[in-house]
Amino acid sequence: MSQLQFELTTIDKALRRGSLHFTNKNKIIQTPACISYTVRGSVPHLIADNLKSLPVSMVHVALEHFVEQKEPSSFKYPHGLHRYINLPEHLIFCDVRDPSKLAPASANTEKYVAVDTHGGVRRVTADLWKQAIEAYKPDWCATPADVVKAGEEIKTKRIKKSVDRTLRWLDDCLTSSSTAPVFAPVVGFDNQEERVRSAEEAAKREQVSGFVLNGFELNKDVRMECFKASIEQLPDNKPRLAYGLSTPESILQGVAQGIDLFDDSYAFKMTERGRAITFKFGKSMSKAEEGEKPEKTLNLWDTRLAQNFDPIDSSCGCYTCTTPHTKAYIHHLLNAHEMLGPLLIMMHNVYQIERFMGTIRKSIENKSFEKDSEAFMTKYNHEKEASGMDGHEDEIDFESLGSPIKKNRIL
Amino acid sequence: MEIKSFSGLKPGQETLDLVNGAHKFQKWNRNLLTDSGGFQMVSLLKLAKITEEGVQFASPHDGSLMMLTPEHSISLQNSIGADILMQLDDVISSLTTGPRVEEAMWRSIRWLDRCIAAHKNQDRQNLFAIIQGGLNKDLRRQCIEEMVKRDTPGYAVGGLSGGEEKDVFWQIVSLCTDLLPKTKPIYCMGVGYAEDLVVCVALGVDMFDCVYPTRTARFGNALTMNGILSLKSGKFANDFGPIEEGCDCPTCTNYSRSYVHLVATKDTVGCHLVSVHNVAFQLRLMRKMREAIIRDEFPSFIINFFASYFGDKSRYPGWAVNALKTVGVDLMAS
């Protein structure tokens, strides 16, 4: 029996509520859920001690972050990835690409996925993947996908190749001696037939424990349709993970379509823009009011917060809000370009995404998901969040350091 | 924890007054110390000119003339609310020579008096005097004689760590610790490297501050009892031991040199991991010195420290050997 079992609790058309059972670790994860984004094995800005206080159970580790070294030291480390990155109590999902973006790299070939690193392009072959997974011993993983980036001119021939390659690599990787459960990528770009073929074929591999869809390969306007074409071919009793659906709006769309797992890179993206997540969902969201639609996040670079001595959110249970650190202090840290600023914001944002997923699960249980989603879309401003730092000039209180001298002063 | 008052420019005096001080602003309920702003002023601002009134400078904002007076510095430090404040001193480069050195010394005494007069919170904030006089022993003696009369809660040795020869540096420190009252804390500002701390403690210094441990951490350099490790170096890529064997900081307990090498200078996590270790190192070094002093084993501590830290005797800094001889510790003896 695979170390990873999936149980569906409720299903209503495409909408699902379930749980992932990691049987050898005795851990159960309720879905829909988010897997926490990491860079080089750490949640950005947070060392393990910081992460401990957050309700995070699963982390996503991208192989591409570790292969800059031609002979990756993480492969040589004898105790497995959990200990290498110091997250022994967390569940680790290992995939090839960074889920927050599909960075352009050189073209993939029949034999490898090309990834860009600081040290140049690296080739992730099925063999390299097997080497990594066997050394890392993650809790589960996904095999390499030949994902073609949206926007490029893609011919049908190329799309067929991507489906074929991805399947071939899947079959090759399944021969690995590793016992880590495997998720199979489902590709096919925007070609209906190929998407169906990719999903059908992946579903035929019985030992596969779940499926991965990559939103980055599709333009936003056709994404959900394309996903649908694949999802319809996938068995209900295995979980689906999707990349490229990190905004709250797209998470809601994904949940409605039957996606069970997402990544929380939205938390990181907002942190990098100096923004704290403030949106709510479901029961804890207050009704929309007349007038301007509220933002989903708060810009902590805003000079109007310089003397606001309240926490970001007094109902939030994160370290930042329970200390409670104030908006004024965090604003000061950003203005002073101190690393503690992003650290405090990141802790808050990761907590809030977890909370968001919790309210989604409750909403599905209460059979009010559709209604709650509509209310969310009506209430909030859905424009892309600008970086809070744009146009910012460091605020320096010059008067603090001295008094002006009158012009005709005799010294 | 030390706050540079120059940093009072951010968030500003008004904000700090509104929240009742830095402890509350930062949510730090342990001790804080503030510097007067004078040093940063002179080293960072263009056209800073010292006058009897105070430090005259051009506002970086609009170029208009402004003045940092002893009164203003104390007012700002009162708002910040730290447990220890520093007087505004007429700080000159340790490489300055000529009559300016003496002028700065006497002026620092006059400014000390103005700081004392301006200090609003004598009952809960401790104002330290700063001994000046450059590298001139007579001037230092005179400065100490005068400042001790003001009977401040503590004394700092200022005007050093500015690039002067280390052999002169320690002699001035030694002179100050000889003459300053034994019942008050002596604070050597801007010190420093591990070997500097050990030597200065041997000479009688009680307190130090330095940006070095965290700054060097951000560049991937870890401080250990066996010297400094440049973790960016490829030789640590496959080193799966802790930064320092025996160190109980969270980084050494949980992460390998290999992992720190992977993230150093690339992710803020790298800065955090090494900073945590380096701060722990500083605290451990000071604690071990205190324990050795209490056990009356300080001389052997010093000898062992230098042996582990530098390895070969030929690498021992000459100034440290000279300084320690004067307090009865012979580093070169076999």
Side-chain angles (χ1 to χ4, degrees):
Chain A
M1 181 173 89
S2 167
Q3 292 159 209
L4 177 55
Q5 300 293 314
F6 181 64
E7 251 179 54
L8 264 181
T9 324
T10 60
I11 179 161
D12 172 15
K13 290 181 251 171
L15 184 65
R16 303 136 62 85
R17 173 81 182 75
S19 54
L20 280 171
H21 295 244
F22 291 86
T23 53
N24 62 337
K25 288 212 175 152
N26 234 338
K27 288 202 172 148
I28 302 177
I29 307 294
Q30 301 297 325
T31 63
C34 267
I35 306 180
S36 277
Y37 174 72
T38 67
V39 174
R40 278 173 276 275
S42 292
V43 173
H45 305 303
L46 307 185
I47 61 179
D49 273 356
N50 304 131
L51 192 62
K52 264 196 185 95
S53 70
L54 294 171
V56 166
S57 322
M58 307 179 284
V59 297
H60 181 291
V61 171
L63 191 58
E64 79 172 80
H65 294 156
F66 290 82
V67 294
E68 176 178 339
Q69 298 166 326
K70 290 220 168 120
E71 299 211 11
S73 47
S74 53
F75 289 19
K76 299 200 171 112
Y77 183 72
H79 307 296
L81 188 62
H82 289 77
R83 270 183 61 182
Y84 190 64
I85 65 178
N86 187 31
L87 292 177
E89 303 302 311
H90 287 75
L91 296 162
I92 298 180
F93 176 64
C94 188
D95 199 347
V96 177
R97 304 302 304 274
D98 180 313
S100 73
K101 54 187 186 256
L102 199 65
S106 316
N108 297 340
T109 70
E110 290 300 307
K111 293 215 158 69
Y112 60 78
V113 170
V115 298
D116 236 346
T117 70
H118 280 125
V121 178
R122 298 286 180 261
R123 301 170 172 186
V124 180
T125 58
D127 279 343
L128 185 76
W129 185 94
K130 283 189 268 188
Q131 225 194 322
I133 300 300
E134 284 159 25
Y136 285 178
K137 302 191 193 22
D139 293 285
W140 83 117
C141 55
T143 55
D146 183 17
V147 176
V148 183
K149 192 169 181 186
E152 295 170 17
E153 269 236 32
I154 314 295
K155 300 204 174 125
T156 309
K157 200 166 152 192
R158 176 70 184 89
I159 299 174
K160 283 197 169 150
K161 252 198 200 151
S162 81
V163 175
D164 292 335
R165 279 179 195 167
T166 303
L167 283 166
R168 196 164 11 92
W169 293 336
L170 170 65
D171 290 335
D172 189 344
C173 292
L174 285 172
T175 67
S176 161
S177 63
S178 150
T179 55
V182 169
F183 275 22
V186 171
V187 293
F189 203 59
D190 61 359
N191 183 308
Q192 184 88 350
E193 267 174 40
E194 286 303 298
R195 290 210 70 90
V196 166
R197 181 168 79 94
S198 178
E200 268 178 352
E201 287 298 321
K204 280 187 193 158
R205 275 76 175 161
E206 298 222 346
Q207 71 268 60
V208 154
S209 303
F211 306 94
V212 182
L213 294 99
N214 197 323
F216 286 115
E217 66 169 346
L218 301 158
N219 282 316
K220 285 207 171 99
D221 45 350
V222 297
R223 180 189 290 161
M224 284 341 237
E225 232 179 84
C226 292
F227 274 13
K228 193 160 175 233
S230 301
I231 291 173
E232 278 170 353
Q233 308 305 321
L234 297 175
D236 275 339
N237 66 344
K238 292 187 178 171
R240 304 92 174 241
L241 183 157
Y243 296 137
L245 301 184
S246 65
T247 64
E249 293 87 353
S250 49
I251 289 179
L252 292 175
Q253 275 190 317
V255 168
Q257 285 241 300
I259 304 291
D260 307 290
L261 294 167
F262 305 82
D263 68 86
D264 76 349
S265 56
Y266 181 75
F268 177 54
K269 288 179 183 159
M270 290 306 108
T271 301
E272 293 306 273
R273 294 177 210 171
R275 307 190 80 104
I277 291 173
T278 50
F279 69 79
K280 304 267 193 287
F281 181 79
K283 278 213 172 95
S284 50
M285 185 190 91
S286 58
K287 277 206 169 62
E289 280 166 35
E290 286 295 320
E292 220 178 292
K293 295 195 177 189
E295 305 247 23
K296 303 189 303 281
T297 58
L298 177 67
N299 172 16
L300 286 162
W301 284 94
D302 190 339
T303 51
R304 290 171 293 182
L305 296 177
Q307 291 174 357
N308 182 322
F309 299 114
D310 292 323
I312 296 168
D313 177 356
S314 50
S315 73
C316 176
C318 82
Y319 169 82
T320 307
C321 293
T322 53
T323 297
H325 279 302
T326 62
K327 285 178 262 199
Y329 182 55
I330 300 172
H331 171 78
H332 157 69
L333 292 171
L334 289 177
N335 187 46
H337 306 282
E338 284 292 328
M339 284 185 279
L340 183 60
L343 192 159
L344 292 176
I345 298 175
M346 188 67 179
M347 290 192 77
H348 170 82
N349 286 351
V350 169
Y351 185 96
Q352 285 294 316
I353 290 293
E354 287 296 320
R355 199 197 218 182
F356 175 51
M357 299 314 291
T359 55
I360 288 177
R361 292 190 292 268
K362 275 227 170 60
S363 170
I364 298 173
E365 285 161 23
N366 290 339
K367 302 197 201 300
S368 59
F369 181 74
E370 212 179 299
K371 190 168 66 70
D372 291 336
S373 295
E374 269 171 40
F376 180 87
M377 294 308 289
T378 308
K379 170 166 175 160
Y380 287 107
N381 177 331
H382 300 290
E383 277 171 29
K384 182 170 172 184
E385 299 86 344
S387 169
M389 209 176 141
D390 286 344
H392 176 86
E393 266 181 44
D394 280 2
E395 295 137 55
I396 304 182
D397 182 355
F398 296 101
E399 262 136 66
S400 281
L401 206 48
S403 357
I405 299 178
K406 289 191 262 267
K407 268 197 180 146
N408 300 315
R409 188 83 183 252
I410 299 164
L411 295 162
Chain B
M1 187 162 31
E2 169 169 3
I3 303 177
K4 304 250 175 277
S5 289
F6 196 70
S7 322
L9 293 179
K10 299 175 180 180
Q13 189 165 14
E14 191 187 305
T15 303
L16 287 167
D17 281 334
L18 280 171
V19 76
N20 286 321
H23 288 91
K24 296 228 167 59
F25 189 57
Q26 297 174 233
K27 297 285 177 347
W28 175 259
N29 59 6
R30 297 187 192 174
N31 294 314
L32 286 173
L33 179 153
T34 44
D35 191 12
S36 63
F39 178 73
Q40 271 78 34
M41 186 73 79
V42 169
S43 45
L44 298 175
L45 286 183
K46 300 191 178 95
L47 307 175
K49 181 173 141 187
I50 318 286
T51 69
E52 184 58 29
E53 183 82 13
V55 181
Q56 184 182 296
F57 61 98
S59 163
H61 181 51
D62 58 6
S64 62
L65 278 181
M66 298 189 74
M67 178 78 78
L68 171 65
T69 59
E71 291 76 13
H72 196 103
S73 172
I74 294 300
S75 161
L76 183 55
Q77 294 187 70
N78 283 150
S79 292
I80 296 174
D83 305 274
I84 298 176
L85 332 184
M86 304 308 294
Q87 70 158 113
L88 182 67
D89 50 345
D90 183 357
V91 56
I92 49 167
S93 157
S94 50
L95 303 172
T96 307
T97 53
R100 177 75 186 101
V101 183
E102 181 162 1
E103 177 193 54
M105 187 270 282
W106 290 112
R107 182 171 293 138
S108 295
I109 297 170
R110 292 193 292 277
W111 282 4
L112 173 61
D113 288 337
R114 285 168 61 185
C115 285
I116 293 173
H119 184 19
K120 285 200 303 272
N121 303 324
Q122 314 252 1
D123 56 332
R124 46 199 164 86
Q125 290 184 279
N126 300 284
L127 174 60
F128 278 26
I130 305 181
I131 309 297
Q132 294 291 350
L135 306 179
N136 181 313
K137 291 190 180 173
D138 287 324
L139 292 179
R140 288 277 176 177
R141 274 191 203 99
Q142 287 183 291
C143 191
I144 290 173
E145 197 183 311
E146 283 303 316
M147 287 192 170
V148 167
K149 286 181 194 166
R150 277 71 177 169
D151 197 25
T152 51
Y155 300 91
V157 179
L160 296 177
S161 278
E164 70 281 353
E165 278 218 26
K166 275 312 231 302
D167 252 324
V168 182
F169 158 80
W170 74 259
Q171 291 188 50
I172 300 296
V173 172
S174 190
L175 176 71
C176 292
T177 57
D178 280 345
L179 298 174
L180 285 167
K182 302 267 183 273
T183 54
K184 297 272 179 84
I186 299 173
Y187 166 31
C188 208
M189 306 185 78
V191 175
Y193 302 137
E195 65 271 27
D196 298 357
L197 295 172
V198 175
V199 172
C200 286
V201 167
L203 296 178
V205 180
D206 305 294
M207 290 166 56
F208 306 87
D209 80 276
C210 201
V211 297
Y212 172 68
T214 47
R215 179 175 288 161
T216 206
R218 293 193 292 272
F219 290 107
N221 300 318
L223 307 175
T224 77
M225 290 298 193
N226 293 100
I228 303 171
L229 303 180
S230 189
L231 292 165
K232 268 187 344 223
S233 161
K235 71 183 191 214
F236 294 108
N238 299 312
D239 188 336
F240 300 130
I243 291 178
E244 186 173 15
E245 202 66 57
C247 175
D248 63 358
C249 82
T251 303
C252 290
T253 314
N254 297 306
Y255 291 91
S256 62
R257 289 175 177 185
S258 168
Y259 186 74
V260 179
H261 167 78
L262 185 73
V263 296
T265 73
K266 293 221 182 83
D267 305 307
T268 58
V269 162
C271 300
H272 299 330
L273 290 176
V274 187
S275 291
V276 163
H277 169 78
N278 283 1
V279 170
F281 171 82
Q282 295 286 99
L283 296 173
R284 175 168 25 105
L285 175 63
M286 300 314 290
R287 191 183 73 243
K288 287 215 177 299
M289 286 202 265
R290 291 193 296 271
E291 289 168 357
I293 293 170
I294 289 174
R295 282 195 320 260
D296 203 11
E297 291 170 5
F298 195 45
S300 58
F301 172 88
I302 299 174
I303 291 170
N304 289 333
F305 169 80
F306 273 82
S308 334
Y309 197 75
F310 290 102
D312 204 62
K313 282 193 171 139
S314 64
R315 290 200 214 109
Y316 290 7
W319 70 270
V321 177
N322 299 339
L324 289 166
K325 256 210 199 92
T326 67
V327 289
V329 177
D330 185 356
L331 280 181
M332 301 315 260
S334 41

